[in-house]
Amino acid sequence: MEQYKQEFIEFMVESDVLKFGEFTLKSGRRSPFFMNAGAYVTGSMLKRLGEYYAKAIHNTYGDDFDVLFGPAYKGIPLAVVTAMAYSELYGKEVRYCSDRKEEKDHGADKGSFLGSSLKDGDRVVMVEDVTTSGKSMEETVPKVRGAADVEIVGLMVSLDRMEVGKGGRKPALDEIRGLYGFGAGAIVTMEEVVRHLYNKECRGKVVIDDTLKEAIDAYYETYGVK
């Protein structure tokens, strides 16, 4: 596993972004782990987060894209900090764009989007925090494609939960690839998280012990990729 992935896993735990216990997800599934990107709240956290996204995007999609699109609301800061990190790490200027939940009907920046407008010919990489079932793409993809004649290069999330999508058969990221025809990747997968943290100390304690590992394994028996 690449060094930046190992660092990112520990960064999620240290930032209280990745938690373990019992959680009810938006999908209704009861999960022994939960990721909340809203817990990245300081300048140094956000700087590091942007760097991890930039490294993963660079490794997965290269540099041939023009816009980072982050769906409202959590995707907005993700797009901003990743664009900043991309400029710093790779010397490439990319624009950021996000959608508004409600269209703004006044001022010089009225419309449905924040940041850069989308233009014909733009190549777009989308960034989100986590994808469980892929449902969020149902709203986001038509908005992006409806704004201009753009090409969506791919999606990057921070954590691939490695669960079946809405159809109940394929992994969520595979469903996205099949439905929309673009790539879908993650900084790390849950399999990598478990492998890295199992019986290993982080912040002075073992994060995933035998009991938690059993709960995670049981969860994947029901919702995991077969």
Side-chain angles (χ1 to χ4, degrees):
M1 190 191 315
E2 294 92 329
Q3 182 66 31
Y4 80 89
K5 290 191 173 193
Q6 298 178 45
E7 292 174 1
F8 181 66
I9 291 168
E10 295 177 19
F11 173 57
M12 284 194 292
V13 175
E14 291 164 359
S15 302
D16 288 324
V17 166
L18 182 60
K19 295 177 176 289
F20 297 92
E22 289 188 12
F23 307 93
T24 301
L25 307 178
K26 186 177 181 180
S27 62
R29 299 173 184 174
R30 292 189 61 80
S31 171
F33 57 92
F34 181 73
M35 202 208 85
N36 173 27
Y40 296 118
V41 293
T42 70
S44 60
M45 284 180 178
L46 290 166
K47 183 177 186 296
R48 288 182 66 186
L49 179 63
E51 290 169 353
Y52 291 125
Y53 265 93
K55 289 176 182 178
I57 290 170
H58 184 265
N59 286 354
T60 305
Y61 302 120
D63 292 333
D64 188 15
F65 67 98
D66 309 290
V67 181
L68 285 162
F69 185 90
Y73 287 105
K74 289 181 180 177
I76 297 174
L78 292 180
V80 172
V81 298
T82 304
M84 294 170 66
Y86 223 94
S87 174
E88 183 175 326
L89 291 176
Y90 304 111
K92 178 178 174 64
E93 295 292 352
V94 295
R95 304 176 346 251
Y96 99 90
C97 179
S98 297
D99 59 327
R100 300 179 191 268
K101 290 292 188 181
E102 296 181 1
E103 185 167 344
K104 185 178 179 183
D105 60 3
H106 61 280
D109 62 339
K110 63 183 178 181
S112 302
F113 297 94
L114 295 168
S116 171
S117 60
L118 294 171
K119 305 172 184 177
D120 290 350
D122 277 342
R123 289 171 57 80
V124 180
V125 171
M126 302 172 67
V127 289
E128 279 208 301
D129 55 349
V130 64
T131 295
T132 300
S133 65
K135 184 175 175 58
S136 62
M137 291 291 102
E138 289 181 359
E139 296 181 7
T140 303
V141 172
K143 280 186 180 180
V144 173
R145 287 179 169 163
D149 183 15
V150 305
E151 177 185 351
I152 300 177
V153 175
L155 166 71
M156 181 61 65
V157 300
S158 57
L159 176 66
D160 178 1
R161 291 181 58 102
M162 302 183 67
E163 299 176 32
V164 292
K166 293 190 308 164
R169 300 174 68 88
K170 294 182 179 180
L173 292 184
D174 279 358
E175 280 193 354
I176 289 170
R177 295 183 191 102
L179 283 171
Y180 303 111
F182 54 75
I187 303 176
V188 293
T189 67
M190 198 60 204
E191 180 182 22
E192 290 170 328
V193 169
V194 173
R195 190 192 326 146
H196 184 66
L197 293 178
Y198 181 46
N199 282 336
K200 177 181 178 179
E201 282 197 8
C202 184
R203 299 174 73 184
K205 66 177 182 179
V206 173
V207 179
I208 300 180
D209 57 15
D210 290 340
T211 301
L212 182 55
K213 176 71 161 51
E214 289 177 7
I216 293 172
D217 289 345
Y219 181 78
Y220 279 109
E221 280 296 313
T222 303
Y223 297 115
V225 179
K226 304 299 183 185

